């Protein structure tokens, strides 16, 4: 396979708000390409496929942790924040990745699990052995397991308490996640210093930003629920101040799985901003809900709620990632409905969520995958894709925990799906061989060979999106419709007048979740007498009349992106 996208020299564009116009792609190093045949994906493998990512239209990569780790939680259990897990490669290779990515105008976001470390981290080992030593206060120790009673348990499948007893120090330590992941004690200023030093280390190596893993949980208190407590926000502001002062143009992305207002708090406010971006956890499950309920109401509600954020901030919107599809931020009634539709086999569930990939969730329906992506790409903010979803990869629910959705990327119909030359038994996880998603059919090479494949569709839509800055930069306003299955909104951008190609534009985006064809009346006084053109093929649509109404027809699970002029 060769990808002939031209290398864009001289590298990175200088737009300080680049993240608001970028398409992000999450790639797990371990799962993408194995360059040395040991059965494990590595940095050199990732470097070898940057051309593919550039061809697809990706602007920035997010790589989950690749630091030294016992890998009991996919690398989110770090033992040394400055070294790279040997099977992934070397620091030299990481530097090469930064250079080669930047040559292609691709930015690189790395993950920073700052709430906790592995229990094998030297800090923890020192802390448990020497309570009075330099690391004695690096973790949250207590004589009882009764503190912080309002803090919920996140990994409900495996944990029954947020406290674990350490037989060496003979005290309990606090952990928000697995019991092998003790929480760092952010009340200790030395913990702040250590984290800030790690941040500087990677920024000095050229990374373009961090995903702040589990950021709401840094501080806990007796009264609060330990999610986004005031000192947590204070720490994030301190981190942002340092980044803005010493590394302008680099970004912080909040992973805050919370309700809309609480997530939005991680943007901070002028003159004290916090994160540049935050994952849109409230919108994500409601996309899946709409697809099956055939009702747009919940999305309209949540989209109207989340639009009010600082001007320079941006949402990170996504359908799937390396974790379970979390259902924590929906009501019990909706959660049960979602389990019924999407996780009818208990094996498909993990914690409070669903451990499946996009294509199997959507029953491998091309119409639904297109609808879901068209909506994702039209939402305010920047879309994040999960590796493999561009070819509709399947999952393996017989693998434990979230490994179900972290199997090797499927490149070709050859041995190990072209992921690795290793003996198949040696792969870190088996490739997907299910009836429907078998790698002999679902792979990049086969998708390339077929001009109407999902991969070609994705690339086309990504490039259409790129030529309309309104998607990344414009405001959203929900528009009323006569049909409960239809979501309609305008995206409007008045142009900054500063950079090239920054043209003002108004779009009308219409999505039908109905499983049957429908006609819908869309009404909005602000659109009176405007003409509509399809932005894919340029066809002329009916215009809004003098009362500001238009009637459109849509096929089952279909959408329009229409230019208003
Ligand atoms: C990551 C998970 C991880 C957890 C604990 C998260 O929020 O996305 O993959 O298991 O942090 O580190
Ligand atoms: Mg390898």
């Amino acid at each position: 396979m060769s990808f002939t996208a031209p290398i864009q020299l001289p590298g990175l564009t200088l737009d300080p708000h680049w993240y608001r116009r970028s398409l992000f792609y999450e790639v797990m190093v371990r799962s993408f390409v194995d360059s040395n045949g040991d059965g494990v994906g590595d940095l050199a493998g990732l470097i070898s496929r940057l051309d593919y990512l550039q061809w697809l239209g990706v602007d920035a990569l997010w790589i989950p942790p690749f630091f030294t780790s016992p890998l009991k939680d996919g690398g989110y259990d770090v033992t040394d924040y400055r070294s790279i897990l040997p099977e992934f490669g070397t620091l030299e290779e990481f530097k090469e990745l930064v250079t080669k990515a930047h040559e292609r105008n691709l930015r690189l976001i790395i993950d920073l699990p700052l709430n906790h470390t592995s229990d094998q981290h030297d800090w923890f080992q020192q802390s448990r052995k020497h309570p009075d030593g330099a690391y004695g206060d690096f973790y949250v120790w207590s004589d009882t397991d009764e503190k912080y009673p309002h803090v919920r348990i996140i990994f409900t499948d495996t944990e029954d308490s947020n406290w674990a007893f350490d037989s060496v120090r003979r005290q309990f330590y606090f952990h928000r996640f697995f019991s092998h992941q003790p929480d760092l004690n952010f009340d200790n200023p030395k913990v702040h210093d250590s984290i800030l030093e790690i941040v500087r280390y990677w920024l000095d190596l050229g990374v373009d930003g961090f995903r702040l893993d589990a950021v709401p949980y840094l501080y806990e208190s007796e009264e609060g629920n330990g999610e986004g407590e005031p000192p947590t926000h204070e720490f994030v502001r301190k981190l942002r101040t340092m980044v803005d002062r010493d590394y302008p143009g680099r970004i912080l992305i909040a992973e805050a799985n919370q309700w809309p207002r609480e997530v939005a708090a991680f943007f901070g406010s002028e003159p004290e901003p916090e994160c540049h971006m935050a994952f849109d956890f409230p919108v994500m499950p409601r996309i899946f809900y709409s697809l099956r309920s055939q009702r747009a109401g919940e999305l309209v509600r949540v989209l109207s709620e989340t639009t009010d954020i600082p001007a320079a901030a941006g949402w990170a919107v996504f359908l799937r990632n390396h974790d379970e599809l979390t259902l924590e931020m929906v009501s019990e009634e909706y959660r049960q409905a979602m389990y019924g539709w999407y996780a009818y086999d208990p094996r498909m569930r993990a914690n409070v969520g669903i451990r499946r990939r996009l294509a199997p969730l959507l029953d491998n329906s091309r119409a639904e995958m297109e609808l879901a992506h068209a909506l994702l790409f039209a939402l305010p903010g920047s879309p994040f894709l999960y590796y493999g979803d561009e070819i509709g990869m399947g999952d393996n629910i017989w693998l434990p925990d979230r490994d179900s959705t972290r199997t090797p990327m499927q490149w070709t119909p050859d041995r190990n799906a072209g992921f690795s030359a290793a003996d198949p038994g040696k792969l870190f996880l088996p490739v997907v061989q299910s009836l429907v998603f078998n790698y002999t059919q679902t792979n990049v090479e086969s998708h390339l060979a077929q001009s109407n494949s999902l991969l070609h569709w994705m690339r086309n839509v990504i490039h259409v999106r790129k030529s309309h800055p309104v998607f990344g930069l414009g405001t959203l306003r929900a528009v009323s419709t006569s049909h409960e299955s239809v979501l309609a909104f305008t995206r409007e951008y008045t142009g900054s007048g500063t950079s090239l190609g920054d043209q003002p534009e108004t779009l009308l985006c219409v999505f039908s979740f109905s499983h049957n064809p429908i006609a819908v009346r869309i009404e909005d006084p602000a659109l009176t007498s405007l003409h509509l053109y399809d932005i894919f093929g340029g066809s002329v649509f009916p215009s809004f009349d003098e009362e500001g109404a238009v009637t459109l027809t849509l096929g089952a699970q279909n959408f329009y992106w229409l230019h208003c002029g």
Side-chain angles (χ1 to χ4, degrees), residues 29-30 33-45 86-89 419-420:
V29 174
R30 205 174 176 212
V33 186
D34 169 19
S35 71
N36 60 355
D38 64 354
V40 179
D42 43 50
L43 292 170
E87 60 200 45
F88 289 177
F419 161 76
S420 167

Side-chain angles (χ1 to χ4, degrees), residues 73 76 116 155 177-178 181 211 213-214 255 322-323 402 406:
D73 182 18
Y76 285 90
H116 48 266
F155 284 165
F177 294 94
F178 289 122
Q181 286 166 317
R211 168 187 180 269
D213 177 63
E255 189 228 1
H322 68 287
D323 285 327
R402 291 152 292 165
R406 299 175 181 179

Side-chain angles (χ1 to χ4, degrees), residues 77-93:
D77 46 333
V78 180
T79 49
D80 179 3
Y81 289 91
R82 285 185 173 74
S83 71
I84 291 172
L85 189 73
E87 60 200 45
F88 289 177
T90 62
L91 197 60
E92 282 316 302
E93 283 165 328

